Amino acid sequence: MQELWRRFEEWLRQNAPGDYSTLCPGASEVDISRLESRLGFPLHSGLKVLLSERNGVTPRRSSMAPGAFLLGYSLLDTEGILEWHQNLSAMAREAVEEGYEEEVVGRTAHTRWVPFAQALTGDLLFVDHRTGHDGEVGEISFGDPEHQLLWPSMTQMLNDLCNAVEGSLPLPTARRRPSVHEGRMLEWVTG
């Protein structure tokens, strides 16, 4: 996982310097432990590795700003991860309390989904921490009735991302292909 992340980051440095410049230093072990304590369960190892390498990106102010190199999503820092996890957990608990659990829990929110990247629209990429789904990477597009499973693991996600950017290939699971905009930022276009 760490090797794949560094490979992807090196590609950004060479080909999308605007995106590369938005990367923040990694989270400390103390920050990661604090996040796990507040979540109430341990983070998947792939997410821990990612956080130890990079604790988010400089927040974007517009769609033309760099930093959304993960399919149009920007990495969250530990505070953003916790905030979004609390939001999803509250949505899931409310659905159970109000009797519409089947429409929400495991479809658009869950207490064991940990968001790690966010689009300007509020859509999220998350790592599933449920037993039997542990480590799967999903996408929540608010307004859609169901999340989409994108990868069985973060390792597979990074492997696919590296292969796509290095070979200018489309991503099979996400039906998007890489394109460098203005020589400074990675975009993922449909097709």
Side-chain angles (χ1 to χ4, degrees), residues 2 25-29 32 47-55:
Q2 188 175 49
S28 70
E29 286 184 33
I32 293 171
L47 187 50
K48 281 174 120 168
V49 168
L50 181 59
L51 283 170
S52 70
E53 291 289 317
R54 297 296 180 174
N55 190 18

Side-chain angles (χ1 to χ4, degrees), residues 1-2 5 26-37 39 41-55 78 81 114 116 127 129 154:
M1 174 73 188
Q2 188 175 49
W5 175 257
S28 70
E29 286 184 33
V30 170
D31 290 336
I32 293 171
S33 292
R34 186 179 306 124
L35 174 60
E36 289 177 317
S37 175
L39 291 173
F41 53 86
L43 287 172
H44 186 271
S45 60
L47 187 50
K48 281 174 120 168
V49 168
L50 181 59
L51 283 170
S52 70
E53 291 289 317
R54 297 296 180 174
N55 190 18
T78 55
I81 288 170
V114 180
F116 68 93
V127 176
H129 287 71
M154 291 193 81

Side-chain angles (χ1 to χ4, degrees), residues 85-100:
H85 176 263
Q86 289 171 338
N87 290 342
L88 291 180
S89 294
M91 287 170 57
R93 282 192 301 273
E94 182 179 302
V96 170
E97 290 168 4
E98 296 188 10
Y100 55 95

